[in-house]
Amino acid sequence: MVEKLLPDYTVSSGSTKDFALLVKFMQRTYQDMFPRQDFSHLSQTVEQYLSQNTPLWWVEYSVEKNQTVKDIFPSRPIACLWMGNAIDQITGLRHAHIFLLYVIPEHRRKGIGTALMQYAETWAKNRGDIQIALQVFQSNTPALNLYNQLGYQTQSLWMVKPLQ
């Protein structure tokens, strides 16, 4: 099913058949922050978690009026939202978890991330979840700003220590 997300943008459901494209989007997400790193291992994460129980949505840019714009951005996914499930370690309740939210750089700052977050929240509410969670790198200031503006709060910190 394809539906309007924002003017000129549509959202449609993905499936487990989108494995390779999802891996590509995950790799782009991490390469934006860590450009010199190899992220081929992310296919293992997708293989482990992608299922019929982890919904996936793609956003496409759909301007029909302006052929030159269509030539620059042909109809292909320009954003992705991948959801999963988690268990709140305090309450024991299942809740929605955002595995991936990614918008390609050429389409950022147009409200797509906000619209996808609202889409995720609506999906989670409709299935009875009382909270939604995500993980974000501390160095990803634009994402942190978006999530803070949408009312997300830090509940815990993930800490790491290199053992080398």
Side-chain angles (χ1 to χ4, degrees), residues 1-70:
M1 181 173 138
V2 177
E3 58 185 282
K4 198 75 130 163
L5 182 70
L6 291 168
D8 300 331
Y9 295 94
T10 58
V11 63
S12 60
S13 296
S15 73
T16 54
K17 295 176 185 173
D18 296 328
F19 178 88
L21 186 57
L22 181 56
V23 170
K24 180 180 174 183
F25 267 69
M26 283 194 72
Q27 289 171 339
R28 285 190 75 175
T29 300
Y30 285 91
Q31 285 170 336
D32 280 359
M33 292 180 290
F34 309 100
R36 294 183 184 95
Q37 189 92 11
D38 173 26
F39 290 104
S40 57
H41 63 276
L42 291 175
S43 64
Q44 295 170 359
T45 300
V46 174
E47 187 174 328
Q48 182 175 359
Y49 293 106
L50 181 61
S51 75
Q52 293 178 338
N53 298 320
T54 60
L56 174 64
W57 294 278
W58 300 105
V59 176
E60 291 188 4
Y61 186 52
S62 57
V63 171
E64 304 286 331
K65 318 167 228 170
N66 187 342
Q67 188 60 38
T68 52
V69 172
K70 260 193 104 131

Side-chain angles (χ1 to χ4, degrees), residues 131-150:
Q131 74 179 20
I132 190 169
L134 56 86
Q135 182 178 326
V136 61
F137 284 101
Q138 190 173 1
S139 60
N140 191 346
T141 305
L144 285 168
N145 289 339
L146 170 66
Y147 301 138
N148 285 327
Q149 288 171 358
L150 294 173

Side-chain angles (χ1 to χ4, degrees), residues 59 79 91 98 111:
V59 176
T91 66
I98 296 174

Side-chain angles (χ1 to χ4, degrees), residues 96-156:
H97 183 84
I98 296 174
F99 285 142
L100 177 66
L101 172 70
Y102 183 75
V103 178
I104 66 170
E106 299 88 350
H107 288 271
R108 291 182 184 158
R109 307 209 44 83
K110 296 180 181 191
I112 298 166
T114 299
L116 282 173
M117 290 300 293
Q118 292 166 343
Y119 200 89
E121 291 174 16
T122 299
W123 175 82
K125 285 178 191 175
N126 286 342
R127 73 175 200 155
D129 290 338
I130 59 171
Q131 74 179 20
I132 190 169
L134 56 86
Q135 182 178 326
V136 61
F137 284 101
Q138 190 173 1
S139 60
N140 191 346
T141 305
L144 285 168
N145 289 339
L146 170 66
Y147 301 138
N148 285 327
Q149 288 171 358
L150 294 173
Y152 286 75
Q153 302 170 1
T154 302
Q155 181 182 29
S156 63

